[in-house]
Amino acid sequence: MEALKTWQARQDDAFVVSYPKAGTTWTQEIVSAIVNEGDLEQINKSHTEFRVPYLEATFLSSTKEIHVPPTHEIVDKMKSPRTIKSHLPGHLLPPDVMKKKARIVYVARNPKDLAVSCFYFRKVNPFRSQDGEIVYGSWWNHYLYYWNLRHEPNVLFLKFEDMKKDLKGTVERIADFLGYTFSDDVIDRIVNHCTFGNMKANPMANPDTLVAKVIEAKLRHMKNGAEEVADSNDNVAPKDRPSFMRKGEVGDWKNHFTVAQNEAMDELIREKLAGSGLVFEC
Ligand code: A3P
């Protein structure tokens, strides 16, 4: 985080920024497909996590002998135009990103589905949440920071629900925002590449394989005493871990929330988003 305060962005960088579980992987695959001008052969040569590196995450190596540099140093060596993922809240995003007016595609998701998706992802990736503290902070602070930047010419604010309603329109909007004009053929190819079913079936777009490796390394690290395992739920056997590409739907919260939980959530959403103009239909 210290290094990121002075990290240099490039004017032609395309960032995908989001609160975790809001539709990051989906959006990054669309952005990557656009920047690669719909060249699926090229896109499928490497995994989305490598094509769109996770700026602030430094991964643990599988053995002590291998040194994995911090991701931002790997990103420094990438050729332009770069596509980069970040979950950083606005006040922690490297200031040079806005200074250089690099493009930011931000995706938000209705908080109830976000919560359900987080609930399942916690069985995949045991992150800590305690006393109201959670990695990347509260969703409303995260959303509102970028929502308030939505009129900046270098910021595109998207909602997961709109992407579900109109994937083709979304691809066209992002392409236009990033300065690409494509024929209908190319647009259709990108849309088809980025449907839930096709991404889930594509080992270069589905994070499952890589995520499993990262989690195993993290659990090993925790067990070695470097970090305490937060609670026993953290240690879900690999076969019981849900797929990262779980359902990809709008409104799955209806299958999970009790009436009381729904009311509490509605109240929280009203309170936190009051006066902002940001609303979620679902
Ligand atoms: P669910 O857990 O509701 O299925 P992130 O990438 O930010 O972690 O978000 C993950 C969520 O986005 C998961 O939601 C996942 O299924 C969904 N998702 C990923 N790719 C998608 C796609 N192509 N279409 C719809 N949803 C997608």
Side-chain angles (χ1 to χ4, degrees), residues 20-21 114-131 133-135 211 215 218-219 222 227-237 240-244 246:
K21 310 323 288 174
L114 186 86
V116 172
S117 191
C118 280
F119 170 77
Y120 284 103
F121 189 59
R122 206 170 176 281
K123 295 180 197 283
V124 181
N125 184 2
F127 54 84
R128 277 157 177 262
S129 56
Q130 231 170 348
D131 302 331
E133 290 194 353
I134 188 167
V135 270
V211 167
I215 304 308
K218 184 170 165 181
L219 285 172
M222 284 167 139
E227 232 184 290
E228 271 169 58
V229 177
D231 63 51
S232 55
N233 281 348
D234 284 343
N235 218 340
V236 180
D240 297 324
R241 289 185 197 146
S243 171
F244 191 101
R246 196 184 58 89

Side-chain angles (χ1 to χ4, degrees), residues 111-112 139 264-274 280:
K112 296 176 191 174
W139 60 265
M265 199 64 172
D266 279 340
E267 179 61 34
L268 182 78
I269 294 169
R270 248 195 313 275
E271 180 197 322
K272 299 299 181 187
L273 301 185
F280 292 95

Side-chain angles (χ1 to χ4, degrees), residues 25-44:
T25 314
W26 190 11
T27 311
Q28 79 184 54
E29 194 58 16
I30 298 172
V31 167
S32 174
I34 289 170
V35 171
N36 282 289
E37 306 192 6
D39 182 348
L40 298 188
E41 204 184 312
Q42 182 61 27
I43 294 161
N44 288 329

Side-chain angles (χ1 to χ4, degrees), residues 85-130:
K85 152 184 161 175
S86 176
H87 287 311
L88 287 172
H91 68 290
L92 295 176
L93 195 70
D96 202 44
V97 176
M98 283 306 283
K99 210 182 317 156
K100 294 260 171 63
K101 302 211 174 306
R103 270 131 329 153
I104 298 176
V105 180
Y106 186 84
V107 59
R109 186 179 193 181
N110 80 78
K112 296 176 191 174
D113 283 335
L114 186 86
V116 172
S117 191
C118 280
F119 170 77
Y120 284 103
F121 189 59
R122 206 170 176 281
K123 295 180 197 283
V124 181
N125 184 2
F127 54 84
R128 277 157 177 262
S129 56
Q130 231 170 348

